[in-house]
Amino acid sequence: MSISFIPQLLDFILPLNESRPILMTYPGYYFVDEERYFVYIFSHSIVSWEIAMTALIAHDCMFMTYVEHVCSLFAVVGFRFENLMCSSSEKEKLVNADLDVIYKKKIAVIVHTHRKAVKYVKLLESTFTIPFAIQILIVVITMSVTLLQIAQHNDDSNILELIRYVLYVIGELIHLFVLSFEGQKIIDHGIEIRNKIYNSSWYKVSKKSQELLILVMMRTLQLSFLTAGKMYIFSLESFMAVLQASMSYCTVLANFQ
Protein backbone atom coordinates (compact mmCIF):
# COMPACT_ATOMS: atom_id res chain seq x y z
CA MET A 1 0.00 0.00 0.00
CA SER A 2 1.46 3.29 -1.04
CA ILE A 3 2.26 6.18 1.26
CA SER A 4 2.03 9.84 0.37
CA PHE A 5 5.34 11.66 0.12
CA ILE A 6 3.65 15.06 0.38
CA PRO A 7 4.21 15.58 4.15
CA GLN A 8 7.97 15.12 3.75
CA LEU A 9 8.06 17.63 0.90
CA LEU A 10 6.04 20.16 2.87
CA ASP A 11 8.50 19.89 5.76
CA PHE A 12 11.11 21.42 3.46
CA ILE A 13 8.85 23.92 1.67
CA LEU A 14 6.55 25.05 4.51
CA PRO A 15 8.07 23.79 7.79
CA LEU A 16 5.89 23.79 10.89
CA ASN A 17 6.70 23.70 14.60
CA GLU A 18 5.27 20.18 14.73
CA SER A 19 5.79 17.22 12.44
CA ARG A 20 3.13 16.39 9.88
CA PRO A 21 1.52 12.96 9.97
CA ILE A 22 2.32 10.42 7.27
CA LEU A 23 -0.71 10.01 5.03
CA MET A 24 -1.49 6.52 3.84
CA THR A 25 -3.03 6.24 0.38
CA TYR A 26 -4.73 3.09 1.63
CA PRO A 27 -4.32 1.50 5.07
CA GLY A 28 -1.40 -0.90 4.99
CA TYR A 29 0.12 -3.08 7.70
CA TYR A 30 3.85 -3.68 7.48
CA PHE A 31 4.29 -4.58 11.18
CA VAL A 32 7.18 -2.12 11.50
CA ASP A 33 7.61 1.49 12.52
CA GLU A 34 6.19 3.41 9.53
CA GLU A 35 8.13 6.61 10.22
CA ARG A 36 11.43 4.83 10.76
CA TYR A 37 11.15 2.67 7.65
CA PHE A 38 9.29 5.22 5.59
CA VAL A 39 11.76 5.21 2.67
CA TYR A 40 11.64 1.42 2.34
CA ILE A 41 7.86 1.28 2.56
CA PHE A 42 7.48 4.11 0.08
CA SER A 43 9.90 2.46 -2.37
CA HIS A 44 8.10 -0.84 -2.05
CA SER A 45 4.71 0.76 -2.72
CA ILE A 46 5.98 2.69 -5.74
CA VAL A 47 7.60 -0.37 -7.33
CA SER A 48 4.58 -2.56 -6.61
CA TRP A 49 2.08 -0.12 -8.11
CA GLU A 50 4.31 0.53 -11.14
CA ILE A 51 4.53 -3.21 -11.86
CA ALA A 52 0.78 -3.70 -11.38
CA MET A 53 -0.18 -0.72 -13.55
CA THR A 54 2.30 -1.66 -16.28
CA ALA A 55 0.91 -5.19 -16.43
CA LEU A 56 -2.68 -3.90 -16.49
CA ILE A 57 -2.00 -1.34 -19.24
CA ALA A 58 -0.07 -3.89 -21.33
CA HIS A 59 -2.90 -6.41 -20.98
CA ASP A 60 -5.59 -3.91 -21.99
CA CYS A 61 -3.55 -2.48 -24.87
CA MET A 62 -2.98 -5.97 -26.25
CA PHE A 63 -6.70 -6.70 -25.94
CA MET A 64 -7.66 -3.46 -27.70
CA THR A 65 -5.19 -4.20 -30.52
CA TYR A 66 -6.80 -7.60 -31.09
CA VAL A 67 -10.28 -6.07 -31.04
CA GLU A 68 -9.33 -3.43 -33.59
CA HIS A 69 -7.93 -6.16 -35.83
CA VAL A 70 -11.21 -8.10 -35.66
CA CYS A 71 -13.22 -4.94 -36.37
CA SER A 72 -11.05 -4.25 -39.41
CA LEU A 73 -11.74 -7.77 -40.71
CA PHE A 74 -15.49 -7.22 -40.32
CA ALA A 75 -15.16 -3.83 -42.03
CA VAL A 76 -13.33 -5.39 -44.99
CA VAL A 77 -15.99 -8.10 -45.31
CA GLY A 78 -18.77 -5.51 -45.23
CA PHE A 79 -17.05 -3.33 -47.81
CA ARG A 80 -16.55 -6.25 -50.17
CA PHE A 81 -20.17 -7.34 -49.86
CA GLU A 82 -21.42 -3.80 -50.43
CA ASN A 83 -19.26 -3.40 -53.54
CA LEU A 84 -19.72 -6.94 -54.81
CA MET A 85 -21.16 -5.82 -58.16
CA CYS A 86 -18.60 -3.10 -58.76
CA SER A 87 -16.04 -4.15 -61.31
CA SER A 88 -13.90 -2.33 -63.83
CA SER A 89 -13.13 -5.41 -65.92
CA GLU A 90 -14.75 -5.36 -69.35
CA LYS A 91 -14.42 -9.11 -69.75
CA GLU A 92 -16.82 -9.69 -66.88
CA LYS A 93 -19.54 -7.87 -68.77
CA LEU A 94 -19.42 -10.10 -71.85
CA VAL A 95 -20.76 -13.46 -70.72
CA ASN A 96 -23.34 -13.66 -67.94
CA ALA A 97 -22.45 -17.26 -67.16
CA ASP A 98 -18.80 -16.41 -66.62
CA LEU A 99 -19.85 -13.37 -64.66
CA ASP A 100 -21.90 -15.50 -62.29
CA VAL A 101 -18.93 -17.80 -61.72
CA ILE A 102 -16.77 -14.81 -60.88
CA TYR A 103 -19.36 -13.55 -58.39
CA LYS A 104 -19.54 -16.96 -56.76
CA LYS A 105 -15.77 -17.00 -56.34
CA LYS A 106 -15.86 -13.50 -54.87
CA ILE A 107 -18.59 -14.47 -52.44
CA ALA A 108 -16.66 -17.60 -51.45
CA VAL A 109 -13.55 -15.53 -50.68
CA ILE A 110 -15.58 -13.02 -48.67
CA VAL A 111 -17.35 -15.79 -46.73
CA HIS A 112 -13.98 -17.34 -45.94
CA THR A 113 -12.73 -14.01 -44.58
CA HIS A 114 -15.91 -13.63 -42.51
CA ARG A 115 -15.44 -17.11 -41.02
CA LYS A 116 -11.86 -16.22 -40.11
CA ALA A 117 -13.08 -13.09 -38.32
CA VAL A 118 -15.74 -15.03 -36.38
CA LYS A 119 -13.20 -17.71 -35.47
CA TYR A 120 -10.81 -15.01 -34.27
CA VAL A 121 -13.52 -13.55 -32.03
CA LYS A 122 -14.11 -16.97 -30.47
CA LEU A 123 -10.37 -17.32 -29.88
CA LEU A 124 -10.27 -13.93 -28.13
CA GLU A 125 -13.29 -14.83 -26.07
CA SER A 126 -11.78 -18.12 -24.89
CA THR A 127 -8.44 -16.43 -24.13
CA PHE A 128 -9.65 -13.42 -22.16
CA THR A 129 -12.86 -14.69 -20.56
CA ILE A 130 -11.26 -15.89 -17.29
CA PRO A 131 -8.96 -12.85 -16.71
CA PHE A 132 -11.83 -10.48 -17.45
CA ALA A 133 -14.15 -12.41 -15.14
CA ILE A 134 -11.68 -11.84 -12.30
CA GLN A 135 -11.40 -8.16 -13.24
CA ILE A 136 -15.17 -7.66 -13.32
CA LEU A 137 -15.55 -9.33 -9.92
CA ILE A 138 -12.84 -7.13 -8.41
CA VAL A 139 -14.33 -3.99 -10.00
CA VAL A 140 -17.82 -4.68 -8.65
CA ILE A 141 -16.57 -5.43 -5.13
CA THR A 142 -14.10 -2.57 -4.87
CA MET A 143 -16.46 -0.07 -6.47
CA SER A 144 -19.25 -1.02 -4.05
CA VAL A 145 -16.94 -0.68 -1.05
CA THR A 146 -15.49 2.61 -2.31
CA LEU A 147 -18.94 4.07 -2.95
CA LEU A 148 -19.90 3.04 0.57
CA GLN A 149 -16.84 4.85 1.94
CA ILE A 150 -17.78 7.95 -0.03
CA ALA A 151 -21.36 7.81 1.25
CA GLN A 152 -20.23 7.44 4.86
CA HIS A 153 -17.53 10.09 4.64
CA ASN A 154 -18.57 12.90 6.97
CA ASP A 155 -15.19 14.33 7.96
CA ASP A 156 -15.09 17.71 6.20
CA SER A 157 -11.53 18.30 7.38
CA ASN A 158 -10.18 15.35 5.39
CA ILE A 159 -11.13 16.37 1.85
CA LEU A 160 -8.06 14.66 0.36
CA GLU A 161 -9.35 11.27 1.42
CA LEU A 162 -12.71 11.92 -0.23
CA ILE A 163 -10.99 13.08 -3.44
CA ARG A 164 -8.88 9.94 -3.40
CA TYR A 165 -11.97 7.71 -3.26
CA VAL A 166 -13.73 9.68 -6.00
CA LEU A 167 -10.72 9.48 -8.32
CA TYR A 168 -10.46 5.76 -7.67
CA VAL A 169 -14.10 5.23 -8.68
CA ILE A 170 -13.63 7.38 -11.80
CA GLY A 171 -10.58 5.33 -12.80
CA GLU A 172 -12.49 2.07 -12.43
CA LEU A 173 -15.40 3.43 -14.46
CA ILE A 174 -13.11 4.58 -17.27
CA HIS A 175 -11.35 1.22 -17.37
CA LEU A 176 -14.61 -0.73 -17.47
CA PHE A 177 -16.11 1.64 -20.03
CA VAL A 178 -13.16 1.21 -22.41
CA LEU A 179 -13.45 -2.59 -22.25
CA SER A 180 -17.23 -2.47 -22.74
CA PHE A 181 -16.87 -0.02 -25.62
CA GLU A 182 -14.42 -2.32 -27.40
CA GLY A 183 -16.83 -5.23 -26.97
CA GLN A 184 -19.67 -3.09 -28.32
CA LYS A 185 -17.60 -2.31 -31.42
CA ILE A 186 -17.31 -6.02 -32.22
CA ILE A 187 -21.07 -6.45 -31.88
CA ASP A 188 -21.80 -3.42 -34.08
CA HIS A 189 -19.33 -4.45 -36.79
CA GLY A 190 -20.79 -7.95 -36.89
CA ILE A 191 -24.34 -6.64 -37.29
CA GLU A 192 -23.25 -4.07 -39.87
CA ILE A 193 -22.33 -6.86 -42.32
CA ARG A 194 -26.00 -7.76 -42.67
CA ASN A 195 -26.83 -4.17 -43.53
CA LYS A 196 -23.97 -4.03 -46.04
CA ILE A 197 -25.31 -7.10 -47.84
CA TYR A 198 -28.81 -5.65 -47.88
CA ASN A 199 -27.53 -2.37 -49.32
CA SER A 200 -25.57 -4.10 -52.08
CA SER A 201 -26.86 -4.95 -55.56
CA TRP A 202 -27.73 -8.50 -54.52
CA TYR A 203 -30.67 -8.59 -56.93
CA LYS A 204 -28.28 -8.53 -59.92
CA VAL A 205 -26.62 -11.84 -59.12
CA SER A 206 -28.00 -15.29 -59.84
CA LYS A 207 -30.34 -17.16 -57.54
CA LYS A 208 -27.58 -19.47 -56.29
CA SER A 209 -25.42 -16.50 -55.39
CA GLN A 210 -28.37 -14.92 -53.59
CA GLU A 211 -28.74 -18.09 -51.53
CA LEU A 212 -25.13 -17.79 -50.47
CA LEU A 213 -25.74 -14.20 -49.37
CA ILE A 214 -28.79 -15.32 -47.39
CA LEU A 215 -26.68 -17.90 -45.56
CA VAL A 216 -24.20 -15.18 -44.61
CA MET A 217 -27.01 -12.92 -43.38
CA MET A 218 -28.39 -15.78 -41.29
CA ARG A 219 -24.95 -16.28 -39.75
CA THR A 220 -24.76 -12.61 -38.78
CA LEU A 221 -27.92 -13.10 -36.71
CA GLN A 222 -25.66 -14.96 -34.27
CA LEU A 223 -23.91 -12.07 -32.59
CA SER A 224 -20.15 -12.12 -32.21
CA PHE A 225 -19.25 -10.84 -28.75
CA LEU A 226 -16.76 -11.15 -25.92
CA THR A 227 -17.65 -12.26 -22.43
CA ALA A 228 -16.17 -12.33 -18.96
CA GLY A 229 -16.65 -15.74 -17.43
CA LYS A 230 -19.40 -16.58 -19.95
CA MET A 231 -21.71 -14.30 -17.94
CA TYR A 232 -20.83 -10.67 -18.57
CA ILE A 233 -21.07 -9.59 -22.23
CA PHE A 234 -18.85 -6.62 -23.00
CA SER A 235 -21.29 -4.00 -24.27
CA LEU A 236 -22.54 -0.59 -23.22
CA GLU A 237 -25.75 -2.15 -21.93
CA SER A 238 -23.78 -4.48 -19.66
CA PHE A 239 -21.68 -1.53 -18.51
CA MET A 240 -24.80 0.18 -17.21
CA ALA A 241 -25.86 -3.08 -15.57
CA VAL A 242 -22.56 -3.23 -13.66
CA LEU A 243 -23.07 0.34 -12.45
CA GLN A 244 -26.53 -0.53 -11.21
CA ALA A 245 -25.23 -3.68 -9.50
CA SER A 246 -22.47 -1.71 -7.77
CA MET A 247 -24.97 0.86 -6.52
CA SER A 248 -27.27 -1.92 -5.31
CA TYR A 249 -24.47 -3.69 -3.40
CA CYS A 250 -23.41 -0.35 -1.95
CA THR A 251 -26.97 0.19 -0.67
CA VAL A 252 -27.06 -3.29 0.83
CA LEU A 253 -23.74 -2.76 2.59
CA ALA A 254 -24.96 0.61 3.90
CA ASN A 255 -28.03 -1.03 5.44
CA PHE A 256 -25.82 -3.34 7.49
CA GLN A 257 -24.06 -0.39 9.06
Side-chain angles (χ1 to χ4, degrees), residues 55-237:
L56 181 62
I57 293 175
H59 178 271
D60 291 347
C61 289
M62 181 174 60
F63 169 74
M64 294 174 63
T65 302
Y66 293 153
V67 170
E68 293 298 327
H69 176 65
V70 173
C71 292
S72 64
L73 290 178
F74 281 133
V76 169
V77 170
F79 177 81
R80 289 180 177 177
F81 272 127
E82 191 174 23
N83 298 273
L84 180 63
M85 303 299 297
C86 298
S87 176
S88 59
S89 176
E90 295 295 334
K91 295 181 180 180
E92 295 182 5
K93 301 179 182 180
L94 297 179
V95 184
N96 291 332
D98 295 339
L99 184 60
D100 185 60
V101 172
I102 293 174
Y103 285 150
K104 286 182 180 180
K105 291 182 178 179
K106 286 184 176 181
I107 294 175
V109 172
I110 299 173
V111 170
H112 180 67
T113 305
H114 180 254
R115 292 181 61 184
K116 288 176 57 179
V118 173
K119 185 177 179 180
Y120 197 82
V121 173
K122 292 181 179 179
L123 178 61
L124 287 181
E125 201 274 336
S126 61
T127 302
F128 289 94
T129 182
I130 300 301
F132 281 140
I134 298 174
Q135 287 191 34
I136 294 298
L137 181 62
I138 294 175
V139 165
V140 173
I141 295 176
T142 55
M143 190 178 299
S144 301
V145 175
T146 307
L147 290 175
L148 178 62
Q149 292 175 330
I150 293 175
Q152 294 181 344
H153 186 81
N154 52 12
D155 187 4
D156 296 336
S157 60
N158 196 353
I159 302 299
L160 291 178
E161 182 177 359
L162 179 61
I163 295 176
R164 179 184 62 190
Y165 291 145
V166 172
L167 292 178
Y168 185 73
V169 171
I170 293 175
E172 287 184 330
L173 290 177
I174 293 176
H175 178 242
L176 182 59
F177 175 78
V178 170
L179 297 180
S180 301
F181 180 74
E182 292 296 320
Q184 185 67 47
K185 289 178 65 175
I186 291 182
I187 296 175
D188 294 341
H189 277 77
I191 296 176
E192 189 66 21
I193 294 178
R194 184 169 66 250
N195 298 330
K196 295 290 185 179
I197 297 175
Y198 183 79
N199 293 330
S200 66
S201 301
W202 54 267
Y203 47 84
K204 295 182 181 180
V205 299
S206 64
K207 185 177 180 180
K208 293 183 178 180
S209 298
Q210 292 179 9
E211 292 176 353
L212 292 176
L213 295 178
I214 291 176
L215 292 177
V216 177
M217 295 180 70
M218 292 177 62
R219 177 58 185 85
T220 57
L221 293 176
Q222 302 177 9
L223 297 180
S224 299
F225 51 82
L226 301 176
T227 66
K230 306 295 183 180
M231 296 181 294
Y232 177 84
I233 298 177
F234 283 101
S235 63
L236 296 181
E237 182 179 357

Side-chain angles (χ1 to χ4, degrees), residues 22-34:
I22 296 178
L23 300 178
M24 300 285 290
T25 304
Y26 278 97
Y29 303 96
Y30 287 87
F31 305 101
V32 294
D33 189 353
E34 296 178 356

